[in-house]
Amino acid sequence: MKLFPKTITGSLHAQNKGACDWGWQGLFAYGSQNFVSVVDPVTVQVIQVLHKHKANVIKIKWAKEDYHHDVNSPYCLRLASADASGNIIAWDVSQGHARAEFSDGNKPVQDMDWLGQQDASRDLLVALHPPYSLILWNADTGTRLWKKTYTETLISFSFDRFNSRNVVFLGQDCIVFIDDFMINKTPSSNGKKYYIFSPSSHAGGNSANHNTSANNLERKASSKNLAQRMSRILVGESKPSKPVQTEEETVAVSECLQLSFHPSCRHHIILLYPREMLILDLEINQTVGMVSLDKTSSPFVQVLPCWQRDVLMCLHESGSISVRIRRKSNNLCTPASEGTGAFDDTPPTVSMDVAYDLRSQTDPLRVTRHNRVYGFTVSPVSERTIGLVMSDSRVIFWEMKTVDVKSSQQSINSPLFTPGATLPSAVQNVTSGKNEFPVITGIPYPKMVLTDMIGPSQLPVMGGLRSDVKGHSVQLKFIMTGLLQGVHTYITCIRMCPPLTNKNWTIYEPRLALGTFSGAIQTVNVASGQVDREFSIHSSMVRGIEWCGLKTFLSYAYPNPGPSGLVKNEFSHVDILSGKVTHIRLHREEESPLESMQISHLKQFFVLGFKDKPLELWDLKSLTIIRELPKTFPRPTAIVWSPSHSLKTMKKKLLDSGSDDLDKSGHGSRCSEIDTSTTSSGMSEHAGGKEKKTQSKMSVREHFVMTDKDGTVFHFIVEGNLISDVTKIPPDSGLSTVTCLAWKGDFLVFGDVDGTQCLWDLKAKISRTTPSSRGWIKKIRFAPGRENFKFFTLHNDGLVVWDINQDGKSEIVHFIKSPKDIAKIVDAEWAGSDRPCVVTTSGCVHVFDLALKIANSSIEQWDLQDPLMSPYLLPPKASQLLKCILQHQPWTDELSFELDGMREDDQEIQRAVNTQLNLIDSELLDYLRNCQFGTAQRCLLTARIFGDESELHFWTVALHYLRSTKVQSSSKSPSRVPSNSDTSNLFVPQTPDYKETNDLVLLDNPEEIEKKKLLTQLFRDQPLERCYDAVVDNQSFKKYQLDRVSLHDSKRSTYDHTQKCAENYMLLGQTDRAVQLLLETEADNENYYIDSLRACLVASIRSSGASQSTIKLVATNLIANGKLSEGVQLLCLIDKGLDACRYLQTYGSWDKAVWLAKSSLNFAECSEVIKRWADHLCSTQVNHKSKALLVLLSLGQFVKVVEMLYGMRSFDRAACFIEACLQFGVLEKTSETASLIEAVFLEYARFLTNIGLRKAAEYYCNLAGDKGEQFLKEVEILFT
């Protein structure tokens, strides 16, 4: 067993608060003092500790995985951490070393994040340094790309995942927005500043505020009083004048705990205060929702908004976690359609506010002054597992589960539905044939992520009502799935178990016992780096531990002595397997403190040395006292047992006395290594009567030496229950009071209070004194191993490793200074023959190499008890093989999750891949064998297993649009909001043009008709979540935008805001409401006349031919003269939405053009606009092809998607996508597509050859036409 250097961390520092992150890679990392600990949440074990920071770690971020992975861009564990001195390190976690190290002087880091949402580079890291510098770093090389200095003091920042140019900063007394963040140049503007005024906590969120301040009077207080208060959440560039602030409304931003963009709703940001959470809409700069806590609830500490669903995970001060889910506001229908004019000024009966319902909450934790929650993070892949880090080093994992609810159970909240992935009962009876699609089996769909547990935030609309919900009603609950304990806060002493020998190597575990200030004792497995067991034994500080065997130890403890100098000594014997604790020396009065305990080499006896009381000799097997030395005897300052003993002589005597069966029974071999016995008390395990007698008669003689305060050496011999004082050696002239002794072989080492080390060579009878000039020697310990005469001396200012050379002289080999090189050392031990191990005041255990330089190693070298399932730890070739096997195997008839047939050179890789496959959940593998939607669904599940962000988004969108393309025909929904009669059949697939309309009549079999109907139902999918924004289908997109405009309408409080709402209504075709808003303009407003005319214009236009040309001409002139939005409004009024979108795109308003196209155009016109946007995304100046792929998928442009993937050299994804399209029947191999499909398959065959999959490569060569046949010959040569 080879031990590798490592660090085992303990409690956290106050600066570590907030330094934790859960990566797409599936691992959890947190800062502990100046280390970064990496935990695997599945097996709940520490798998790596990174050590290079000199100051405390204050920020940690895992790298993003939103790029295409292949052999050249492999899956790798990259992490960035920043410390209090401003040093940022980019790590290669699996190897445990730094890839790059950089800093901006010695300024600390306020906030840090990897830059996503772009395809230019995956190594870009953004860091915020106080007071207001934002720096873009290349984390691979450590070079600074640009630095921008702002004018306000900034605390943190958040990126908008919908638009990479938008960043929001939390300042000391304001919020700063910038919209010009770019990689290639420093942002030019200083951003827009906003000051916040929060709705006061005493005026509840929904009750109107009747305090009419001077300001309210100025604004002619209206029925919209509440809306007016809410509007003051974000007020302009300058600080508002005094009268604007009523005392109860002003809330300084300094109270704001957190600010972040909502990853699931565009334009929304979340502001967190201790007792409320505000949802702000940046389009109207106003609060659109508020979550308030009641007085009894524990205050908020942090919120984690999810991207898969509109869900907020909140951490409270008490350590409990609550889940809040967006309330569905579909019960408010969209504005009335044209011609009804049914609007009055009374506010809608149902609140349109963004509201979140509390759905589940964990029990509070025991939070004290010394034990608080320091870290809170959620898995980005599943968004249902949560990690908490406590300040005392505990890591807790919670998992969210769903519980089915019976219809009779009434809940206050609206019901929560699952997404309906389980097959309807009608379908479960239908068994699919071998090549039928979709595949129907009874295997349940695996619930891996949040989207599998609860349905979308917005339900599709049919006939103005909710569509039939496919899922069933559920409730959420949390289950604790893991608890990990680190090293205790204050360690007082450590002791390593007996060393590895030839006899005990089969059962050996390298355990280190740690005594703590509180009286508990922990054992740590030094090979795996995990805290193994913990025993609460003593009521006061543990002073010493000695092992009696591999599984038992003795320990003693006493509190700090009072004025009398007497204490109550506690003394215990512990069996770590059974946990049995035996207390020894009970019923003693207060006495002198116990200062040392030494166990003999054969584990027969132990001696106890007291500060001011005679020495005691005990029998270890029976745990009884043999004798106490006379009171006149000098008090020992150091004691050590001799490693030499008369075991051989005793064996000889036993053999002579006729115990010939001794060796056969294994007793003889056992005696020679009693210290390795696995029993609790040495030899007592052997119950043979004869042996017992001989053992009681014959005990082995052992001897020990001790020194007194004058330095005199006393030599004692112990045999049976006799102890005799044999010799007395006068003190060595060069030594002061001896503090410690160590004896190995023929060498006896003394250490004294002045730091002098004296070596006695007993064979040569020479004594050599070496002054170390380092002060008091606290401990001397020889390293284990035959002929290994290395030893260390522990001093107040560090550790020195010595070696005894062939001449018998000791020399310094290595040393470490504390607290200069490492925190102050409390105690030291040898973990192995060349592994010094120290514990420091920071509560960390360091296992060093012999040079005392390295205390970390690669993950491979951590001897973990539970194997890890992580593709990121595999070599590049192996991770690609694993992905390939899980995604699809068309080259075999039956899916097999076992890799075989690899070349001899690749046998190691084959073993690694098979090990990983065996670690995947068996239920998930069963489902992968019979995926309902074939390759596309298998690829999506594989992306989740791998935590591959790029693949995950691609296959989520691809599967959705493959399913809806199968359901829907080419004709899409009409331009305006459809009336009820139009929408009722919206999801029923219309008959494609190329099929006869009487198709179904030809099937006389009613069962076949029914089966076809059921299968069509299966392909139906719920709409994509809002986080996909412009990739969502047009109907859901329009529904959401209408809801938002209604919400903005209900929040109107200023003239500009009303104008914005009117404009949006015009663009969305809601002309009646637009007219009404225009007519609301007050008579004293300078735009009163213009707005009245605009209202007349909007009301009178009914697309009459004569006026169209005039309006179009005016609109064109307006746009040409810089009035883009006014021109676009006019074009929309005369149904020229497509022209309006083209103008917006020409003038660079791409997002607005997409919004308008998806909300108001028919499918053909909308596709034209969106296609142009996709081309723009592919252009060199934008370079966001990964987003363009999703956009093309949403248009059903599957051939174009394959072309793009081929151009991006993502051959594996292109091949899988073609397979999926063929399975869904949405792509056929025709003369036009054949060359593209063959080219993809040929390149994929090359890829498969590179990773060593011969069978698969041959299969794709056969599909790749003539070039494939040529390459097939090469493959055969390569693999022979």
Side-chain angles (χ1 to χ4, degrees):
M1 175 185 291
K2 187 154 173 59
L3 285 180
F4 289 94
K6 60 176 64 67
T7 303
I8 302 156
T9 57
S11 61
L12 280 63
H13 189 277
Q15 285 182 313
N16 296 138
K17 191 171 184 180
C20 74
D21 193 31
W22 196 321
W24 280 87
Q25 302 82 348
L27 299 175
F28 178 89
Y30 68 94
S32 174
Q33 310 280 344
N34 56 329
F35 306 99
V36 178
S37 296
V38 181
V39 178
D40 174 43
V42 179
T43 58
V44 196
Q45 50 187 351
V46 178
I47 61 164
Q48 179 65 285
V49 175
L50 305 169
H51 171 33
K52 200 176 183 182
H53 286 289
K54 294 279 184 282
N56 290 320
V57 175
I58 53 176
K59 280 280 174 257
I60 290 178
K61 284 281 186 247
W62 283 100
K64 304 235 185 297
E65 292 298 324
D66 54 353
Y67 61 92
H68 177 251
H69 299 77
D70 54 27
V71 180
N72 301 322
S73 307
Y75 290 96
C76 60
L77 294 174
R78 294 179 309 140
L79 175 87
S81 59
D83 63 29
S85 65
N87 205 27
I88 300 174
I89 300 180
W91 298 94
D92 177 337
V93 176
S94 56
Q95 291 308 310
H97 60 69
R99 296 162 67 107
E101 200 172 340
F102 43 93
S103 65
D104 181 38
N106 57 357
K107 287 183 184 169
V109 176
Q110 282 280 27
D111 204 356
M112 174 178 82
D113 203 358
W114 293 85
L115 191 61
Q117 310 302 323
Q118 44 84 29
D119 295 344
S121 165
R122 54 177 187 273
D123 299 315
L124 302 179
L125 186 75
V126 183
L128 178 66
H129 298 268
Y132 35 57
S133 310
L134 191 71
I135 301 181
L136 181 65
W137 298 96
N138 180 327
D140 195 40
T141 58
T143 45
R144 192 169 80 185
L145 301 183
W146 52 251
K147 178 177 179 177
K148 167 72 179 169
T149 307
Y150 289 96
T151 52
E152 287 291 326
T153 306
L154 305 174
I155 297 162
S156 67
F157 67 85
S158 175
F159 281 108
D160 184 354
R161 66 173 274 154
F162 297 99
N163 185 345
S164 55
R165 294 171 64 103
N166 295 346
V167 186
V168 58
F169 295 96
L170 178 61
Q172 268 187 334
D173 61 345
C174 65
I175 290 178
V176 179
F177 291 100
I178 61 164
D179 57 3
D180 56 356
F181 184 94
M182 291 172 85
I183 299 168
N184 46 11
K185 66 169 189 248
T186 315
S188 51
S189 77
N190 277 329
K192 288 182 192 153
K193 264 184 281 185
Y194 290 98
Y195 294 87
I196 307 182
F197 291 88
S198 157
S200 62
S201 44
H202 7 285
N206 295 328
S207 61
N209 175 10
H210 296 294
N211 285 359
T212 49
S213 63
N215 175 57
N216 287 357
L217 293 171
E218 276 172 29
R219 295 222 184 140
K220 294 196 172 68
S222 70
S223 62
K224 298 234 167 19
N225 209 312
L226 169 73
Q228 219 164 36
R229 276 182 59 248
M230 296 288 255
S231 74
R232 268 185 255 139
I233 290 298
L234 284 183
V235 292
E237 291 274 333
S238 59
K239 281 194 176 177
S241 57
K242 274 282 181 284
V244 178
Q245 307 177 24
T246 59
E247 275 176 36
E248 61 166 2
E249 286 180 287
T250 313
V251 168
V253 180
S254 56
E255 285 182 31
C256 183
L257 301 173
Q258 189 189 340
L259 163 74
S260 71
F261 270 106
H262 197 318
S264 148
C265 296
R266 191 167 184 152
H267 305 300
H268 285 187
I269 63 168
I270 296 169
L271 276 168
L272 185 72
Y273 288 89
R275 301 214 65 86
E276 61 194 2
M277 195 187 320
L278 305 178
I279 319 292
L280 270 63
D281 190 320
L282 295 185
E283 282 203 307
I284 57 172
N285 291 345
Q286 269 193 36
T287 310
V288 289
M290 190 168 129
V291 178
S292 294
L293 292 176
D294 54 36
K295 284 180 182 161
T296 54
S297 300
S298 174
F300 288 124
V301 176
Q302 197 183 337
V303 59
L304 297 172
C306 300
W307 63 270
Q308 300 181 33
R309 294 280 185 250
D310 197 346
V311 171
L312 305 175
M313 305 274 189
C314 310
L315 172 68
H316 300 264
E317 254 176 33
S318 63
S320 72
I321 300 161
S322 62
V323 175
R324 292 168 193 273
I325 299 183
R326 172 86 170 260
R327 190 180 298 159
K328 295 180 173 59
S329 55
N330 291 51
N331 44 9
L332 186 91
C333 292
T334 50
S337 51
E338 288 197 46
T340 55
F343 273 99
D344 58 8
D345 198 23
T346 53
T349 48
V350 181
S351 164
M352 286 297 293
D353 279 15
V354 175
Y356 289 87
D357 293 325
L358 176 64
R359 294 289 185 171
S360 179
Q361 186 155 357
T362 65
D363 291 333
L365 299 170
R366 223 141 126 225
V367 176
T368 62
R369 200 160 50 91
H370 304 294
N371 184 24
R372 294 165 183 263
V373 180
Y374 270 16
F376 171 58
T377 180
V378 65
S379 158
V381 182
S382 74
E383 293 197 319
R384 54 178 282 209
T385 28
I386 292 170
L388 285 182
V389 186
M390 307 298 287
S391 58
D392 66 353
S393 81
R394 277 180 305 158
V395 179
I396 301 167
F397 293 108
W398 291 97
E399 188 169 308
M400 194 162 70
K401 303 261 189 198
T402 52
V403 183
D404 292 352
V405 178
K406 295 183 181 72
S407 50
S408 58
Q409 289 176 308
Q410 286 301 314
S411 162
I412 312 161
N413 299 329
S414 53
L416 194 63
F417 291 103
T418 58
T422 314
L423 298 181
S425 49
V427 181
Q428 286 177 359
N429 309 327
V430 181
T431 48
S432 53
K434 190 166 182 183
N435 296 319
E436 278 188 33
F437 193 76
V439 181
I440 299 169
T441 57
I443 301 168
Y445 181 76
K447 289 187 176 182
M448 293 170 70
V449 298
L450 186 63
T451 36
D452 299 335
M453 297 172 67
I454 51 176
S457 308
Q458 180 188 349
L459 290 170
V461 172
M462 290 176 71
L465 300 166
R466 286 182 176 181
S467 70
D468 301 331
V469 181
K470 282 172 87 173
H472 59 281
S473 183
V474 286
Q475 281 177 347
L476 300 177
K477 70 168 183 179
F478 277 104
I479 292 176
M480 190 186 286
T481 54
L483 176 64
L484 189 68
Q485 175 74 56
V487 174
H488 260 276
T489 314
Y490 302 109
I491 302 295
T492 52
C493 57
I494 61 173
R495 192 72 173 99
M496 190 68 196
C497 70
L500 178 70
T501 63
N502 289 336
K503 300 203 173 62
N504 69 10
W505 66 272
T506 49
I507 54 158
Y508 187 74
E509 282 187 22
R511 286 200 174 94
L512 179 72
L514 308 136
T516 67
F517 185 80
S518 63
I521 293 178
Q522 290 182 308
T523 62
V524 171
N525 185 320
V526 186
S528 67
Q530 313 301 314
V531 174
D532 193 35
R533 290 171 167 81
E534 183 172 328
F535 304 94
S536 290
I537 301 169
H538 301 289
S539 60
S540 54
M541 178 171 155
V542 179
R543 306 287 176 158
I545 303 169
E546 288 291 333
W547 290 84
C548 317
L550 288 179
K551 303 286 186 281
T552 55
F553 61 77
L554 291 172
S555 66
Y556 64 95
Y558 59 83
N560 290 329
S564 65
L566 301 178
V567 294
K568 184 94 171 116
N569 287 312
E570 296 178 15
F571 194 67
S572 301
H573 175 275
V574 182
D575 183 328
I576 64 171
L577 284 191
S578 64
K580 185 185 175 189
V581 178
T582 312
H583 295 291
I584 313 160
R585 293 185 90 250
L586 294 167
H587 318 301
R588 301 271 178 142
E589 295 300 311
E590 286 203 338
E591 57 187 346
S592 177
L594 174 58
E595 288 206 325
S596 76
M597 166 176 65
Q598 298 294 330
I599 296 180
S600 70
H601 276 265
L602 290 182
K603 313 291 187 222
Q604 297 184 99
F605 315 105
F606 63 91
V607 288
L608 303 179
F610 296 86
K611 185 177 183 180
D612 199 16
K613 194 181 158 203
L615 191 111
E616 290 181 5
L617 175 69
W618 287 69
D619 182 299
L620 181 59
K621 293 183 205 71
S622 61
L623 297 175
T624 52
I625 188 164
I626 295 173
R627 130 134 229 238
E628 186 175 332
L629 292 189
K631 284 187 178 169
T632 52
F633 208 83
R635 306 292 174 253
T637 56
I639 310 168
V640 67
W641 285 88
S642 160
S644 59
H645 41 70
S646 61
L647 187 68
K648 285 180 182 164
T649 341
M650 189 200 81
K651 275 200 201 167
K652 198 167 179 234
K653 277 184 193 168
L654 285 173
L655 286 167
D656 293 347
S657 67
S659 308
D660 300 318
D661 54 339
L662 210 56
D663 276 324
K664 288 172 197 166
S665 69
H667 180 64
S669 61
R670 204 155 190 100
C671 277
S672 64
E673 277 298 341
I674 300 173
D675 57 328
T676 67
S677 85
T678 56
T679 60
S680 305
S681 52
M683 305 187 208
S684 60
E685 193 181 295
H686 297 279
K690 190 173 179 183
E691 280 176 29
K692 267 197 174 165
K693 278 178 200 160
T694 45
Q695 229 173 303
S696 58
K697 275 188 288 187
M698 327 264 323
S699 105
V700 187
R701 182 197 302 162
E702 294 195 70
H703 42 124
F704 69 90
V705 297
M706 64 164 255
T707 56
D708 66 5
K709 62 179 188 299
D710 304 324
T712 312
V713 179
F714 297 86
H715 179 203
F716 295 90
I717 289 179
V718 182
E719 189 165 2
N721 52 5
L722 300 172
I723 175 167
S724 46
D725 176 5
V726 188
T727 44
K728 189 170 168 184
I729 304 162
D732 202 294
S733 57
L735 285 175
S736 311
T737 307
V738 175
T739 53
C740 46
L741 291 165
W743 193 342
K744 183 170 184 178
D746 295 322
F747 295 104
L748 179 59
V749 188
F750 297 78
D752 74 359
V753 286
D754 303 329
T756 309
Q757 175 257 104
C758 176
L759 176 69
W760 285 12
D761 185 336
L762 301 174
K763 200 173 184 182
K765 297 187 179 170
I766 302 171
S767 119
R768 295 187 177 89
T769 306
T770 318
S772 71
S773 67
R774 283 173 172 268
W776 175 40
I777 298 179
K778 293 157 76 173
K779 188 175 190 177
I780 301 177
R781 196 69 95 211
F782 273 102
R786 190 174 290 174
E787 302 305 316
N788 179 9
F789 290 107
K790 293 182 187 68
F791 66 92
F792 68 68
T793 55
L794 175 63
H795 304 261
N796 258 335
D797 66 344
L799 186 80
V800 183
V801 176
W802 307 71
D803 198 0
I804 300 174
N805 59 23
Q806 286 168 335
D807 307 335
K809 291 178 183 169
S810 60
E811 54 191 13
I812 293 178
V813 195
H814 302 288
F815 62 88
I816 188 168
K817 288 187 176 173
S818 113
K820 186 184 168 192
D821 305 327
I822 186 175
K824 187 143 179 51
I825 297 174
V826 175
D827 200 359
E829 268 293 320
W830 288 95
S833 55
D834 57 348
R835 294 278 177 262
C837 161
V838 303
V839 65
T840 61
T841 47
S842 63
C844 297
V845 177
H846 304 261
V847 181
F848 281 108
D849 64 337
L850 194 58
L852 299 171
K853 294 278 185 287
I854 299 167
N856 55 339
S857 47
S858 69
I859 292 179
E860 281 179 356
Q861 293 167 342
W862 285 61
D863 185 11
L864 297 169
Q865 283 144 337
D866 298 320
L868 294 186
M869 160 61 206
S870 175
Y872 292 84
L873 298 175
L874 293 175
K877 219 164 150 181
S879 54
Q880 293 301 322
L881 275 164
L882 179 64
K883 186 161 84 171
C884 232
I885 283 173
L886 290 171
Q887 282 183 332
H888 68 151
Q889 300 175 23
W891 54 90
T892 58
D893 294 337
E894 193 79 14
L895 255 88
S896 155
F897 292 119
E898 188 177 355
L899 183 61
D900 54 8
M902 298 287 285
R903 284 179 290 209
E904 271 185 32
D905 318 350
D906 294 338
Q907 285 303 308
E908 196 56 47
I909 286 178
Q910 179 173 310
R911 271 194 294 278
V913 172
N914 283 329
T915 306
Q916 292 287 299
L917 284 165
N918 291 332
L919 292 172
I920 298 173
D921 185 50
S922 56
E923 288 178 11
L924 177 56
L925 286 180
D926 286 346
Y927 189 81
L928 283 170
R929 282 192 179 88
N930 304 288
C931 262
Q932 193 180 336
F933 296 112
T935 304
Q937 197 172 30
R938 207 173 287 117
C939 288
L940 175 57
L941 293 172
T942 304
R944 286 175 183 171
I945 294 170
F946 271 65
D948 188 332
E949 198 175 347
S950 171
E951 293 264 321
L952 183 80
H953 292 314
F954 177 85
W955 287 109
T956 301
V957 177
L959 180 60
H960 174 79
Y961 281 104
L962 285 168
R963 285 174 69 173
S964 47
T965 307
K966 185 87 176 161
V967 169
Q968 292 173 347
S969 67
S970 48
S971 64
K972 302 285 171 180
S973 51
S975 162
R976 292 273 174 228
V977 184
S979 67
N980 291 358
S981 56
D982 292 338
T983 24
S984 52
N985 293 325
L986 203 67
F987 280 97
V988 178
Q990 294 173 19
T991 313
D993 306 335
Y994 57 85
K995 286 205 177 170
E996 290 288 318
T997 40
N998 57 355
D999 216 4
L1000 288 175
V1001 186
L1002 301 173
L1003 299 164
D1004 345 332
N1005 187 348
E1007 280 180 16
E1008 283 294 314
I1009 302 170
E1010 193 56 36
K1011 189 173 173 183
K1012 268 221 148 108
K1013 259 191 196 169
L1014 282 172
L1015 291 185
T1016 309
Q1017 249 185 335
L1018 276 189
F1019 281 114
R1020 257 186 223 156
D1021 194 12
Q1022 293 196 321
L1024 285 171
E1025 187 53 58
R1026 277 183 235 158
C1027 63
Y1028 287 105
D1029 192 44
V1031 180
V1032 175
D1033 63 279
N1034 291 10
Q1035 197 200 353
S1036 303
F1037 185 86
K1038 177 164 189 177
K1039 164 76 184 67
Y1040 178 51
Q1041 297 312 324
L1042 283 167
D1043 277 354
R1044 281 195 67 211
V1045 175
S1046 309
L1047 172 59
H1048 293 177
D1049 188 355
S1050 70
K1051 296 275 176 197
R1052 286 180 300 113
S1053 60
T1054 63
Y1055 170 73
D1056 290 340
H1057 187 172
T1058 305
Q1059 290 301 301
K1060 192 162 193 149
C1061 288
E1063 177 188 330
N1064 284 339
Y1065 276 131
M1066 276 186 243
L1067 298 179
L1068 290 170
Q1070 304 287 330
T1071 49
D1072 281 31
R1073 184 64 178 151
V1075 170
Q1076 197 159 357
L1077 295 192
L1078 287 169
L1079 292 176
E1080 274 187 16
T1081 309
E1082 305 284 351
D1084 55 2
N1085 190 313
E1086 57 185 17
N1087 294 324
Y1088 175 62
Y1089 179 57
I1090 299 170
D1091 286 347
S1092 304
L1093 292 178
R1094 282 170 72 201
C1096 297
L1097 175 67
V1098 174
S1100 59
I1101 289 178
R1102 286 285 176 267
S1103 306
S1104 60
S1107 60
Q1108 282 231 359
S1109 49
T1110 314
I1111 292 172
K1112 191 172 181 183
L1113 180 67
V1114 172
T1116 315
N1117 286 340
L1118 283 170
I1119 291 168
N1121 289 303
K1123 290 199 177 294
L1124 181 64
S1125 80
E1126 288 85 343
V1128 166
Q1129 286 172 48
L1130 287 178
L1131 289 171
C1132 287
L1133 285 174
I1134 55 168
D1135 266 349
K1136 297 279 182 231
L1138 181 60
D1139 292 348
C1141 290
R1142 284 178 184 147
Y1143 279 119
L1144 284 167
Q1145 287 181 324
T1146 309
Y1147 284 87
S1149 294
W1150 291 94
D1151 286 348
K1152 187 76 180 167
V1154 171
W1155 179 86
L1156 183 57
K1158 287 190 79 77
S1159 313
S1160 63
L1161 301 184
N1162 63 33
F1163 188 74
E1165 290 179 339
C1166 176
S1167 297
E1168 188 185 318
V1169 176
I1170 304 280
K1171 265 184 215 162
R1172 199 172 159 195
W1173 180 44
D1175 294 340
H1176 168 69
L1177 289 171
C1178 294
S1179 64
T1180 45
Q1181 63 268 34
V1182 181
N1183 188 19
H1184 203 169
K1185 289 185 178 166
S1186 51
K1187 188 168 182 180
L1189 280 173
L1190 305 185
V1191 170
L1192 290 170
L1193 283 170
S1194 73
L1195 295 174
Q1197 300 280 319
F1198 300 139
V1199 177
K1200 188 94 176 74
V1201 169
V1202 176
E1203 277 173 19
M1204 254 187 85
L1205 287 169
Y1206 183 75
M1208 293 160 71
R1209 303 191 61 76
S1210 305
F1211 304 123
D1212 53 340
R1213 199 186 290 181
C1216 290
F1217 185 65
I1218 292 171
E1219 297 272 0
C1221 290
L1222 293 170
Q1223 282 175 349
F1224 273 91
V1226 295
L1227 181 72
E1228 288 177 6
K1229 195 171 175 182
T1230 61
S1231 51
E1232 292 151 15
T1233 58
S1235 59
L1236 173 64
I1237 291 174
E1238 283 173 9
V1240 168
F1241 284 162
L1242 177 66
E1243 290 300 336
Y1244 189 46
R1246 283 188 210 283
F1247 167 78
L1248 293 166
T1249 310
N1250 288 344
I1251 61 172
L1253 271 182
R1254 178 179 181 170
K1255 226 175 170 183
E1258 288 173 351
Y1259 172 83
Y1260 280 102
C1261 285
N1262 292 325
L1263 296 177
D1266 302 339
K1267 286 183 180 172
E1269 282 173 24
Q1270 282 175 307
F1271 185 58
L1272 185 58
K1273 290 169 189 167
E1274 289 178 38
V1275 172
E1276 281 162 4
I1277 296 163
L1278 276 170
F1279 281 93
T1280 47

